[in-house]
Amino acid sequence: MITQCTVALMVASLMGGQVASAPPAGVPSGASSEVGSAAGTGSLVVPAGTPVPLTLVTAIQSKTTKVGDTVRAVVAFPVTVGAQVAIPAGTYVEGMVNAVSAHGPSVQIHFTRMLFANGYSVPLDAMNTQAAMEWPDVPQRVGDLAWGGAPPVGGMQVDQADPTNPTLPPLPQEGPSKAAVIGGVMGGMAAIVVVSVLTMRRRGSGNYVLFDGGWQFQMTLTTPLTLDTARLPAAS
């Protein structure tokens, strides 16, 4: 009797061990470890040459900013790869000044790091492609301003005589003489030249802003940028 009870307990113990070690229904043996090791290994590559619009955060000044100084900017518009947002707007980029000049003015920045809003950081290799401040177009001819377009054929405007309206004699001149007007204009031009020279001298010896915070420009990836897709949803 004791022997039969002992055998029954041993059989029950063996069957319980087999049930506990069996994998879930529909999942082959050893598959769970393979799925865990594959999770989080996906990557998203932003190809080289991709333009990224930026807004400058660190002001660049004529005297204070030197080669090697740190510069920070923020992504102004999201960059996508296919249907995936790779670089969300608001992502910070950091780099160093390679060259800066007050004549122009112009600046060259090498960006070396990208920092997402969730703290995800990746190395970056990119350069700004807009190195100089862009000034608005200025008309090349006075006629463009006077006529709102190209001047008439021949470069000058010709008044045609109207036979129905005879030419009237000139009215008597009132106000200051022509010589006084010319003298006033020449004096005003001289004053403008003096002010410009003094301003240039002050700028040459002082420190002033070349590119202020908020300047819109663009950088281009020099090499492909590889991102971890497991971190991108939180970053975007």
Side-chain angles (χ1 to χ4, degrees), residues 66-93:
K66 304 294 183 183
V67 173
D69 286 353
T70 300
V71 174
R72 294 179 178 86
V74 64
V75 176
F77 194 80
V79 177
T80 60
V81 176
Q84 175 79 38
V85 176
I87 307 174
T91 303
Y92 277 87
V93 292

Side-chain angles (χ1 to χ4, degrees), residues 179-197:
V181 173
I182 294 176
V185 171
M186 296 298 293
M189 294 179 62
I192 293 174
V193 171
V194 171
V195 172
S196 300
V197 171

Side-chain angles (χ1 to χ4, degrees), residues 42-46 79 81 84-88 91 114 116-118 120 122 225-236:
S43 60
L44 183 65
V45 178
V46 185
V79 177
V81 176
Q84 175 79 38
V85 176
I87 307 174
T91 303
M114 179 172 290
F116 292 84
N118 66 342
Y120 174 42
V122 291
L225 177 65
T226 302
L227 303 171
D228 185 359
T229 54
R231 305 293 299 275
L232 289 181
S236 60

Side-chain angles (χ1 to χ4, degrees), residues 7-22:
V7 172
L9 291 173
M10 293 177 62
V11 172
S13 176
L14 290 174
M15 291 180 65
Q18 292 177 358
V19 173
S21 61

Side-chain angles (χ1 to χ4, degrees), residues 124-225:
L124 177 66
D125 184 12
M127 300 289 294
N128 65 308
T129 52
Q130 292 171 278
M133 180 72 76
E134 295 183 0
W135 302 101
D137 295 334
V138 178
Q140 298 298 319
R141 295 172 296 185
V142 176
D144 292 346
L145 289 176
W147 296 312
V153 178
M156 62 180 180
Q157 188 175 9
V158 179
D159 295 330
Q160 300 293 334
D162 189 354
T164 61
N165 296 323
T167 304
L168 299 177
L171 297 175
Q173 182 179 356
E174 297 181 0
S177 63
K178 185 180 297 184
V181 173
I182 294 176
V185 171
M186 296 298 293
M189 294 179 62
I192 293 174
V193 171
V194 171
V195 172
S196 300
V197 171
L198 293 177
T199 302
M200 293 178 63
R201 288 183 177 179
R202 181 180 60 83
R203 286 190 171 186
S205 59
N207 183 33
Y208 58 97
V209 175
L210 299 176
F211 301 93
D212 205 351
W215 177 49
Q216 299 285 330
F217 65 108
Q218 179 177 281
M219 76 172 183
T220 301
L221 299 182
T222 307
T223 59
L225 177 65

